[in-house]
CSV table of all heavy atoms in Angstrom, one decimal:
chain,number,residue,atom,x,y,z
A,6,ASP,N,-1.9,-15.1,-6.8
A,6,ASP,CA,-0.7,-15.1,-6.1
A,6,ASP,C,0.5,-14.6,-6.9
A,6,ASP,O,1.6,-14.3,-6.4
A,6,ASP,CB,-0.4,-16.5,-5.6
A,6,ASP,CG,-0.5,-17.6,-6.7
A,6,ASP,OD1,-0.8,-17.2,-7.8
A,6,ASP,OD2,-0.2,-18.8,-6.4
A,7,ALA,N,0.4,-14.6,-8.2
A,7,ALA,CA,1.4,-14.1,-9.1
A,7,ALA,C,1.3,-12.6,-9.4
A,7,ALA,O,2.1,-12.0,-10.1
A,7,ALA,CB,1.5,-14.9,-10.4
A,8,LYS,N,0.2,-12.0,-8.9
A,8,LYS,CA,0.0,-10.6,-9.2
A,8,LYS,C,-0.1,-9.8,-7.9
A,8,LYS,O,-1.0,-10.0,-7.1
A,8,LYS,CB,-1.3,-10.4,-10.0
A,8,LYS,CG,-1.3,-11.1,-11.3
A,8,LYS,CD,-2.6,-10.9,-12.1
A,8,LYS,CE,-2.8,-9.5,-12.5
A,8,LYS,NZ,-4.0,-9.3,-13.4
A,9,GLU,N,0.9,-8.9,-7.6
A,9,GLU,CA,0.9,-8.2,-6.4
A,9,GLU,C,1.3,-6.8,-6.6
A,9,GLU,O,1.9,-6.4,-7.6
A,9,GLU,CB,2.0,-8.9,-5.4
A,9,GLU,CG,1.6,-10.3,-5.0
A,9,GLU,CD,2.6,-10.9,-4.0
A,9,GLU,OE1,3.8,-10.8,-4.4
A,9,GLU,OE2,2.2,-11.4,-3.0
A,10,VAL,N,0.9,-5.9,-5.6
A,10,VAL,CA,1.4,-4.6,-5.5
A,10,VAL,C,2.2,-4.4,-4.3
A,10,VAL,O,1.8,-5.0,-3.2
A,10,VAL,CB,0.2,-3.6,-5.5
A,10,VAL,CG1,0.6,-2.2,-5.2
A,10,VAL,CG2,-0.6,-3.7,-6.8
A,11,TYR,N,3.3,-3.8,-4.3
A,11,TYR,CA,4.2,-3.7,-3.2
A,11,TYR,C,4.1,-2.3,-2.6
A,11,TYR,O,4.4,-1.3,-3.3
A,11,TYR,CB,5.7,-4.0,-3.6
A,11,TYR,CG,5.8,-5.3,-4.3
A,11,TYR,CD1,5.7,-5.4,-5.7
A,11,TYR,CD2,6.0,-6.5,-3.6
A,11,TYR,CE1,5.7,-6.5,-6.4
A,11,TYR,CE2,6.0,-7.7,-4.3
A,11,TYR,CZ,5.9,-7.7,-5.7
A,11,TYR,OH,6.0,-8.9,-6.4
A,12,VAL,N,3.8,-2.2,-1.3
A,12,VAL,CA,3.7,-0.9,-0.6
A,12,VAL,C,4.8,-0.8,0.4
A,12,VAL,O,4.8,-1.6,1.4
A,12,VAL,CB,2.3,-0.7,0.0
A,12,VAL,CG1,2.2,0.7,0.6
A,12,VAL,CG2,1.2,-0.9,-1.0
A,13,LEU,N,5.7,0.1,0.2
A,13,LEU,CA,6.9,0.2,1.0
A,13,LEU,C,7.2,1.6,1.5
A,13,LEU,O,6.4,2.5,1.1
A,13,LEU,CB,8.2,-0.3,0.2
A,13,LEU,CG,8.1,-1.7,-0.4
A,13,LEU,CD1,9.3,-1.9,-1.3
A,13,LEU,CD2,7.9,-2.8,0.6
A,14,GLY,N,8.2,1.8,2.3
A,14,GLY,CA,8.6,3.1,2.8
A,14,GLY,C,7.8,3.4,4.1
A,14,GLY,O,7.6,2.6,4.9
A,15,GLU,N,7.5,4.7,4.2
A,15,GLU,CA,7.0,5.2,5.5
A,15,GLU,C,5.4,5.1,5.6
A,15,GLU,O,4.7,6.0,5.6
A,15,GLU,CB,7.4,6.6,5.7
A,15,GLU,CG,9.0,6.7,5.8
A,15,GLU,CD,9.5,8.0,6.1
A,15,GLU,OE1,8.7,8.9,6.4
A,15,GLU,OE2,10.7,8.2,6.1
A,16,VAL,N,5.0,3.8,5.6
A,16,VAL,CA,3.6,3.4,5.8
A,16,VAL,C,3.6,2.6,7.1
A,16,VAL,O,4.7,2.1,7.5
A,16,VAL,CB,3.0,2.7,4.6
A,16,VAL,CG1,2.9,3.5,3.4
A,16,VAL,CG2,3.8,1.4,4.3
A,17,LEU,N,2.5,2.4,7.7
A,17,LEU,CA,2.4,1.7,8.9
A,17,LEU,C,2.7,0.2,8.8
A,17,LEU,O,3.3,-0.4,9.7
A,17,LEU,CB,1.0,1.9,9.6
A,17,LEU,CG,0.7,3.3,10.1
A,17,LEU,CD1,-0.7,3.3,10.7
A,17,LEU,CD2,1.7,3.7,11.1
A,18,ARG,N,2.3,-0.4,7.7
A,18,ARG,CA,2.5,-1.9,7.5
A,18,ARG,C,3.0,-2.1,6.1
A,18,ARG,O,2.3,-2.5,5.2
A,18,ARG,CB,1.2,-2.6,7.7
A,18,ARG,CG,0.6,-2.5,9.1
A,18,ARG,CD,-0.5,-3.5,9.3
A,18,ARG,NE,-1.6,-3.3,8.4
A,18,ARG,CZ,-2.6,-2.4,8.7
A,18,ARG,NH1,-2.6,-1.7,9.8
A,18,ARG,NH2,-3.6,-2.2,7.8
A,19,PRO,N,4.3,-2.0,5.9
A,19,PRO,CA,4.9,-2.3,4.5
A,19,PRO,C,4.6,-3.8,4.2
A,19,PRO,O,4.8,-4.6,5.0
A,19,PRO,CB,6.4,-2.1,4.7
A,19,PRO,CG,6.5,-1.2,5.9
A,19,PRO,CD,5.4,-1.5,6.8
A,20,GLN,N,4.1,-4.0,3.0
A,20,GLN,CA,3.7,-5.4,2.6
A,20,GLN,C,3.5,-5.5,1.1
A,20,GLN,O,3.4,-4.5,0.4
A,20,GLN,CB,2.5,-5.8,3.4
A,20,GLN,CG,1.3,-4.9,3.1
A,20,GLN,CD,0.1,-5.2,3.9
A,20,GLN,OE1,-0.6,-6.3,3.7
A,20,GLN,NE2,-0.3,-4.4,4.9
A,21,SER,N,3.3,-6.7,0.7
A,21,SER,CA,2.9,-7.0,-0.7
A,21,SER,C,1.4,-7.3,-0.6
A,21,SER,O,0.9,-7.9,0.3
A,21,SER,CB,3.6,-8.1,-1.3
A,21,SER,OG,3.4,-9.3,-0.5
A,22,LEU,N,0.6,-6.7,-1.6
A,22,LEU,CA,-0.8,-6.9,-1.6
A,22,LEU,C,-1.3,-7.7,-2.7
A,22,LEU,O,-0.8,-7.5,-3.9
A,22,LEU,CB,-1.5,-5.5,-1.7
A,22,LEU,CG,-1.1,-4.4,-0.7
A,22,LEU,CD1,-1.8,-3.1,-1.0
A,22,LEU,CD2,-1.5,-4.9,0.7
A,23,SER,N,-2.1,-8.7,-2.4
A,23,SER,CA,-2.6,-9.5,-3.5
A,23,SER,C,-3.5,-8.7,-4.4
A,23,SER,O,-4.3,-7.9,-3.9
A,23,SER,CB,-3.5,-10.7,-2.9
A,23,SER,OG,-2.6,-11.6,-2.2
A,24,PHE,N,-3.4,-8.9,-5.7
A,24,PHE,CA,-4.1,-8.0,-6.7
A,24,PHE,C,-5.3,-8.7,-7.1
A,24,PHE,O,-5.4,-9.5,-8.0
A,24,PHE,CB,-3.2,-7.8,-7.9
A,24,PHE,CG,-3.5,-6.5,-8.6
A,24,PHE,CD1,-3.0,-5.3,-8.1
A,24,PHE,CD2,-4.2,-6.5,-9.7
A,24,PHE,CE1,-3.2,-4.1,-8.8
A,24,PHE,CE2,-4.5,-5.3,-10.4
A,24,PHE,CZ,-4.0,-4.2,-10.0
A,25,ARG,N,-6.4,-8.5,-6.3
A,25,ARG,CA,-7.7,-9.2,-6.5
A,25,ARG,C,-8.4,-8.8,-7.8
A,25,ARG,O,-9.0,-9.6,-8.5
A,25,ARG,CB,-8.6,-8.9,-5.4
A,25,ARG,CG,-8.1,-9.4,-4.0
A,25,ARG,CD,-9.0,-9.1,-2.9
A,25,ARG,NE,-8.5,-9.4,-1.6
A,25,ARG,CZ,-9.0,-9.1,-0.5
A,25,ARG,NH1,-10.2,-8.5,-0.4
A,25,ARG,NH2,-8.5,-9.4,0.7
A,26,THR,N,-8.2,-7.5,-8.2
A,26,THR,CA,-8.9,-7.0,-9.4
A,26,THR,C,-8.0,-6.1,-10.1
A,26,THR,O,-6.9,-5.8,-9.6
A,26,THR,CB,-10.2,-6.3,-9.1
A,26,THR,OG1,-9.9,-5.0,-8.6
A,26,THR,CG2,-11.0,-7.0,-8.1
A,27,ASP,N,-8.4,-5.7,-11.3
A,27,ASP,CA,-7.6,-4.6,-12.1
A,27,ASP,C,-8.1,-3.3,-11.8
A,27,ASP,O,-8.0,-2.3,-12.5
A,27,ASP,CB,-7.7,-4.9,-13.6
A,27,ASP,CG,-6.7,-5.9,-14.0
A,27,ASP,OD1,-5.7,-6.2,-13.3
A,27,ASP,OD2,-6.9,-6.5,-15.1
A,28,ASP,N,-8.8,-3.1,-10.6
A,28,ASP,CA,-9.4,-1.8,-10.3
A,28,ASP,C,-9.0,-1.3,-8.9
A,28,ASP,O,-9.8,-0.7,-8.2
A,28,ASP,CB,-10.9,-2.0,-10.4
A,28,ASP,CG,-11.6,-0.6,-10.5
A,28,ASP,OD1,-11.1,0.3,-11.0
A,28,ASP,OD2,-12.8,-0.5,-9.9
A,29,MET,N,-7.7,-1.6,-8.5
A,29,MET,CA,-7.2,-1.1,-7.2
A,29,MET,C,-6.7,0.3,-7.4
A,29,MET,O,-5.9,0.6,-8.2
A,29,MET,CB,-6.1,-2.0,-6.7
A,29,MET,CG,-5.7,-1.6,-5.3
A,29,MET,SD,-4.2,-2.6,-4.7
A,29,MET,CE,-4.8,-4.2,-4.7
A,30,THR,N,-7.2,1.2,-6.5
A,30,THR,CA,-6.7,2.6,-6.6
A,30,THR,C,-5.5,2.8,-5.7
A,30,THR,O,-5.3,1.9,-4.8
A,30,THR,CB,-7.8,3.6,-6.2
A,30,THR,OG1,-8.1,3.4,-4.8
A,30,THR,CG2,-9.0,3.4,-7.1
A,31,LEU,N,-4.8,3.9,-5.8
A,31,LEU,CA,-3.7,4.2,-4.9
A,31,LEU,C,-4.2,4.4,-3.5
A,31,LEU,O,-3.5,3.9,-2.6
A,31,LEU,CB,-3.0,5.4,-5.4
A,31,LEU,CG,-1.8,5.9,-4.6
A,31,LEU,CD1,-0.7,4.8,-4.5
A,31,LEU,CD2,-1.2,7.1,-5.3
A,32,THR,N,-5.3,4.9,-3.3
A,32,THR,CA,-5.9,5.1,-2.0
A,32,THR,C,-6.1,3.7,-1.3
A,32,THR,O,-5.8,3.5,-0.2
A,32,THR,CB,-7.3,5.8,-2.1
A,32,THR,OG1,-7.0,7.1,-2.6
A,32,THR,CG2,-7.9,6.0,-0.7
A,33,GLN,N,-6.7,2.8,-2.1
A,33,GLN,CA,-6.9,1.5,-1.5
A,33,GLN,C,-5.6,0.7,-1.2
A,33,GLN,O,-5.5,0.1,-0.1
A,33,GLN,CB,-7.7,0.6,-2.5
A,33,GLN,CG,-9.2,1.1,-2.7
A,33,GLN,CD,-9.8,0.4,-3.9
A,33,GLN,OE1,-9.2,0.1,-4.9
A,33,GLN,NE2,-11.2,0.2,-3.8
A,34,ALA,N,-4.6,0.9,-2.0
A,34,ALA,CA,-3.3,0.2,-1.7
A,34,ALA,C,-2.7,0.8,-0.5
A,34,ALA,O,-2.2,0.1,0.4
A,34,ALA,CB,-2.4,0.4,-2.9
A,35,LEU,N,-2.7,2.1,-0.3
A,35,LEU,CA,-2.2,2.7,0.9
A,35,LEU,C,-3.0,2.4,2.1
A,35,LEU,O,-2.5,2.1,3.2
A,35,LEU,CB,-2.1,4.3,0.7
A,35,LEU,CG,-1.1,4.8,-0.3
A,35,LEU,CD1,-1.3,6.3,-0.5
A,35,LEU,CD2,0.3,4.5,0.2
A,36,GLY,N,-4.3,2.3,1.9
A,36,GLY,CA,-5.2,1.9,3.1
A,36,GLY,C,-5.0,0.5,3.6
A,36,GLY,O,-5.0,0.3,4.8
A,37,ARG,N,-4.7,-0.4,2.7
A,37,ARG,CA,-4.5,-1.8,3.1
A,37,ARG,C,-3.1,-1.9,3.8
A,37,ARG,O,-2.9,-2.9,4.5
A,37,ARG,CB,-4.6,-2.7,1.9
A,37,ARG,CG,-6.0,-2.9,1.4
A,37,ARG,CD,-6.1,-3.7,0.1
A,37,ARG,NE,-5.6,-5.0,0.2
A,37,ARG,CZ,-5.5,-5.9,-0.8
A,37,ARG,NH1,-6.0,-5.5,-2.0
A,37,ARG,NH2,-5.0,-7.1,-0.6
A,38,ALA,N,-2.2,-1.0,3.5
A,38,ALA,CA,-0.9,-1.0,4.2
A,38,ALA,C,-1.0,-0.1,5.5
A,38,ALA,O,0.1,0.2,6.1
A,38,ALA,CB,0.1,-0.4,3.3
A,39,GLY,N,-2.2,0.3,5.9
A,39,GLY,CA,-2.3,1.0,7.1
A,39,GLY,C,-2.2,2.5,7.0
A,39,GLY,O,-2.3,3.3,8.0
A,40,GLY,N,-2.0,3.0,5.8
A,40,GLY,CA,-1.9,4.5,5.6
A,40,GLY,C,-0.5,5.0,5.8
A,40,GLY,O,0.4,4.2,6.3
A,41,LEU,N,-0.3,6.3,5.6
A,41,LEU,CA,1.0,6.9,5.8
A,41,LEU,C,1.3,7.0,7.3
A,41,LEU,O,0.4,7.2,8.1
A,41,LEU,CB,1.1,8.3,5.2
A,41,LEU,CG,1.4,8.4,3.7
A,41,LEU,CD1,0.3,7.7,2.9
A,41,LEU,CD2,1.4,9.9,3.3
A,42,ASN,N,2.6,6.8,7.6
A,42,ASN,CA,3.0,6.9,9.0
A,42,ASN,C,2.9,8.4,9.4
A,42,ASN,O,3.6,9.3,8.9
A,42,ASN,CB,4.5,6.5,9.2
A,42,ASN,CG,4.9,6.3,10.6
A,42,ASN,OD1,4.6,7.2,11.4
A,42,ASN,ND2,5.6,5.3,11.0
A,43,PRO,N,2.0,8.8,10.4
A,43,PRO,CA,1.8,10.2,10.7
A,43,PRO,C,3.0,10.8,11.4
A,43,PRO,O,3.1,12.1,11.4
A,43,PRO,CB,0.6,10.1,11.7
A,43,PRO,CG,0.7,8.7,12.3
A,43,PRO,CD,1.2,7.9,11.2
A,44,VAL,N,4.0,10.0,11.9
A,44,VAL,CA,5.1,10.6,12.6
A,44,VAL,C,6.2,11.0,11.6
A,44,VAL,O,6.8,12.1,11.8
A,44,VAL,CB,5.7,9.6,13.6
A,44,VAL,CG1,7.0,10.1,14.3
A,44,VAL,CG2,4.7,9.2,14.6
A,45,THR,N,6.4,10.3,10.6
A,45,THR,CA,7.5,10.5,9.7
A,45,THR,C,7.2,11.0,8.3
A,45,THR,O,8.1,11.3,7.5
A,45,THR,CB,8.4,9.2,9.6
A,45,THR,OG1,7.6,8.2,9.0
A,45,THR,CG2,8.9,8.8,10.9
A,46,SER,N,5.9,11.0,7.9
A,46,SER,CA,5.6,11.2,6.5
A,46,SER,C,5.0,12.6,6.3
A,46,SER,O,4.4,12.8,5.2
A,46,SER,CB,4.5,10.1,6.1
A,46,SER,OG,3.3,10.3,6.9
A,47,SER,N,5.1,13.5,7.2
A,47,SER,CA,4.5,14.8,7.0
A,47,SER,C,5.1,15.6,5.8
A,47,SER,O,4.4,16.4,5.2
A,47,SER,CB,4.6,15.6,8.3
A,47,SER,OG,6.0,15.8,8.6
A,48,SER,N,6.3,15.4,5.5
A,48,SER,CA,6.9,16.1,4.4
A,48,SER,C,7.3,15.1,3.2
A,48,SER,O,8.4,15.3,2.6
A,48,SER,CB,8.2,16.8,4.9
A,48,SER,OG,9.1,15.9,5.4
A,49,LYS,N,6.5,14.1,3.0
A,49,LYS,CA,6.9,13.1,2.1
A,49,LYS,C,6.0,13.2,0.8
A,49,LYS,O,5.0,13.9,0.7
A,49,LYS,CB,6.7,11.7,2.7
A,49,LYS,CG,7.5,11.5,4.0
A,49,LYS,CD,9.0,11.7,3.8
A,49,LYS,CE,9.7,11.5,5.2
A,49,LYS,NZ,11.2,11.8,5.0
A,50,SER,N,6.5,12.4,-0.2
A,50,SER,CA,5.7,12.2,-1.4
A,50,SER,C,5.4,10.7,-1.5
A,50,SER,O,6.0,9.8,-0.9
A,50,SER,CB,6.5,12.6,-2.6
A,50,SER,OG,6.4,14.0,-2.7
């Protein structure tokens, strides 16, 4: 509960993610937040 990754901006479900392991990839973090918003994120980083 004291270790989190925060996924914000133009994703489908902005949220804080519990950090279960030290092996979370950027793909997994974005996936748990629902992925990039297809409507607004076409020209994003």
Side-chain angles (χ1 to χ4, degrees):
D6 52 358
K8 298 178 70 174
E9 295 180 313
V10 173
Y11 309 90
V12 185
L13 306 173
E15 297 184 7
V16 292
L17 290 179
R18 296 190 300 273
Q20 61 183 288
S21 59
L22 305 176
S23 298
F24 207 80
R25 300 177 186 176
T26 75
D27 276 343
D28 197 31
M29 186 189 299
T30 67
L31 180 54
T32 299
Q33 291 170 328
L35 291 171
R37 288 172 62 181
L41 278 59
N42 190 318
V44 176
T45 61
S46 62
S47 59
S48 61
K49 306 300 181 184
S50 282

